[in-house]
Structures are given as C-alpha cells and as structure tokens.
Amino acid sequence: MRGPATGRGPAVWAALAAGVEEWLGVAPHGIVLVETMKVYVVGKGDPADLIELSGVGGAVVGRLSGWTAEGVRASEWNGQVPAHIRRQRTRAWIEQAGWLGRVDLATTQRFQEDVWSAVGIGRWRTTQSR
C-alpha cells in the first residue's frame, strides 16, 4: 500500500493502518509479519525514514485486533542473498504458484523492489527458508 507523498508521524501511520485494515476486508485473524529495522547511524539513507516505517508497522499491528504479530529482521529473512537474486527467486515462486496476478506491477521500479521484498518476507515466513 502506498503512503502519501508528503507528511509523517502518527496521523499518517494511522491512515495507512486503516487502509491496510480496509484492504484486508473481513479477515478475522491472521499473522502480521513486520520487518523490524536496525538503524545504522552511518549510511546512505535517512534513519528517520526507518522510524516512520516502524511507526506504520506498529499502527498496523495495533489496528488488527485478533491477529498475531511477529517481527523479523532483514538479516534473518534474506541473509546475504543479493537483492536482485532474491527478487528473481521470489517472483519465480509466485509465478509457480499462479499468484502473479495478485502482485501490483503497474508501478515504479523502486516501489516494485519494496513489493517484492514484502512478498519475500511472506515467502520466508510461509516456507521458513531463503
């Protein structure tokens, strides 16, 4: 689910969580798997962005009562596999299952990378393998 182009903080987190709840519809329960972030002080990205992602994850977990919340670190679900190889493997898994039509590919390349990472986390949780 795309977030707004501008804005940060709890109001944005709550709006995204409400959107996720609406998208899920009437599903009474399930597992919410959230990638837990490790913030590095030195790096090319803005650490504040990771705080925003954590806020969204917390809002979604809080919104979905009856669901089980689990966290996973990136190093746990993807190990040292390069991103492009991980995306290829995940896409092949989705295609083999006949689920490619469920993945929104009508978007930017950057957003697709995030989508494939989210699907990859789900794949990892489902198969418990890399």
Side-chain angles (χ1 to χ4, degrees), residues 8-126:
R8 290 179 171 261
V12 173
W13 308 343
L16 282 166
V20 169
E21 182 181 41
E22 181 180 327
W23 179 76
L24 288 171
V26 296
H29 64 281
I31 295 174
V32 179
L33 186 59
V34 178
E35 184 175 20
T36 54
M37 306 296 170
K38 181 171 182 177
V39 179
Y40 296 95
V41 177
V42 178
K44 57 184 174 182
D46 182 356
D49 292 343
L50 297 180
I51 303 303
E52 289 296 308
L53 286 172
S54 292
V56 171
V60 169
V61 166
R63 186 87 186 208
L64 298 177
S65 63
W67 286 58
T68 301
E70 296 181 10
V72 62
R73 289 196 180 268
S75 60
E76 192 177 349
W77 75 267
N78 71 18
Q80 298 297 315
V81 177
H84 71 282
I85 292 172
R86 187 180 62 248
R87 284 191 295 271
Q88 288 172 348
R89 290 177 181 170
T90 301
R91 184 177 177 131
W93 180 73
I94 288 294
E95 288 176 341
Q96 183 178 17
W99 300 332
L100 189 58
R102 297 179 184 182
V103 181
D104 179 6
L105 298 175
T107 186
T108 65
Q109 183 64 35
R110 177 66 188 105
F111 188 68
Q112 282 185 33
E113 291 171 9
D114 292 340
V115 169
W116 286 118
S117 289
V119 173
I121 293 169
R123 174 184 179 221
W124 174 84
R125 174 59 175 84
T126 301

